[in-house]
Amino acid sequence: YWRTQKDSDLFGIVAHNLGHMLAWHHYGAGKGNVSQDWLSEAVGYYISLQFRGVNTVYCKAFEIPEEHHTVARGGKEEEEKTVGTEVVMQGSRQVYVSAGLQSGSPFQALVALDLIDMKNGDLGKAWSLFDYFATQTGEAGQRFLRSLGKYSWDRGAFARKVRERGELLFDSQGQDVFKLLDQRWQEWAKIQIGMD
């Protein structure tokens, strides 16, 4: 239940919370002993951005730094005009990806963070990392995300089991799959914002 007002963004509330529910049901996020708050929040952002072009619901505030505003302010008439969804989406992508690259926690640390401990960089990286998985890794990526929920019940063996599963899925025997995926995400993310 939400306390809404006349100007509440009902579509935004539904979209963001639908993302949380999909993360819970599809990936088992939030049901184990290891936090998967990053994934729940990431899918909330992802659904909002994919279907709205903007995320207006924040379970933890993402404070957009002043220097990242992408739309120049004009006079009173200009302020009354609406900005196209694609412009907002591209601006959001730039802000979230930049924050993730600059100050996001390493992937292995991110998966264990509680929402309250996440900073801007973690929130931005969570969304961008999920975007990477959703668009770039195919079935292997989806199975890997499911393994995070599946093994989150066993805090003591979580990292080992996820690494073993990841090695098989990404044919990366002998490599730390968290570091490997972090590196692949960084390379992809930099291209997304023109840093290649």
Side-chain angles (χ1 to χ4, degrees):
Y1 293 96
W2 282 73
R3 290 181 181 168
T4 58
Q5 301 171 347
K6 273 196 290 188
D7 61 344
S8 293
D9 179 9
L10 297 179
F11 189 174
I13 292 169
V14 171
H16 190 88
N17 283 289
L18 176 62
H20 291 329
M21 293 299 102
L22 288 171
W24 276 61
H25 292 292
H26 191 65
Y27 302 116
K31 295 181 182 176
N33 295 322
V34 175
S35 169
Q36 294 298 306
D37 287 352
W38 80 277
L39 186 54
S40 180
E41 202 60 19
V43 182
Y45 274 61
Y46 185 82
I47 296 295
S48 295
L49 289 166
Q50 288 297 111
F51 292 97
R52 300 281 327 281
V54 65
N55 180 61
T56 59
V57 175
Y58 300 93
C59 300
K60 171 145 189 197
F62 185 101
E63 298 173 13
I64 296 177
E66 198 65 34
E67 67 270 15
H68 286 296
H69 285 275
T70 57
V71 180
R73 292 189 176 205
K76 182 91 171 137
E77 293 170 7
E78 288 295 319
E79 287 182 7
E80 291 174 3
K81 293 180 181 177
T82 58
V83 177
T85 300
E86 191 162 322
V87 172
V88 175
M89 174 62 175
Q90 290 306 314
S92 297
R93 176 180 293 277
Q94 179 80 31
V95 170
Y96 295 148
V97 173
S98 294
L101 287 168
Q102 289 173 7
S103 60
S105 296
F107 188 21
Q108 184 174 341
L110 182 64
V111 300
L113 286 177
D114 291 323
L115 183 61
I116 196 164
D117 296 321
M118 295 175 77
K119 308 283 190 254
N120 269 5
D122 300 318
L123 293 167
K125 182 172 181 174
W127 167 76
S128 182
L129 195 55
F130 181 78
D131 189 27
Y132 168 75
F133 275 106
T135 62
Q136 305 299 306
T137 62
E139 184 179 338
Q142 293 301 308
R143 290 185 180 276
F144 181 77
L145 292 176
R146 286 184 180 187
S147 72
L148 292 173
K150 178 180 179 181
Y151 300 128
S152 67
W153 289 100
D154 188 356
R155 183 176 291 277
F158 172 74
R160 179 182 53 78
K161 288 181 177 179
V162 171
R163 277 195 181 97
E164 289 170 357
R165 182 73 174 136
E167 283 183 10
L168 293 173
L169 289 168
F170 296 103
D171 194 25
S172 59
Q173 285 71 19
Q175 298 181 58
D176 182 335
V177 74
F178 285 111
K179 287 182 180 177
L180 175 71
L181 291 171
D182 232 346
Q183 180 182 0
R184 289 180 182 175
W185 164 76
Q186 286 177 21
E187 292 167 359
W188 175 82
K190 286 177 182 176
I191 292 168
Q192 298 305 300
I193 60 170
M195 286 180 59
D196 59 339

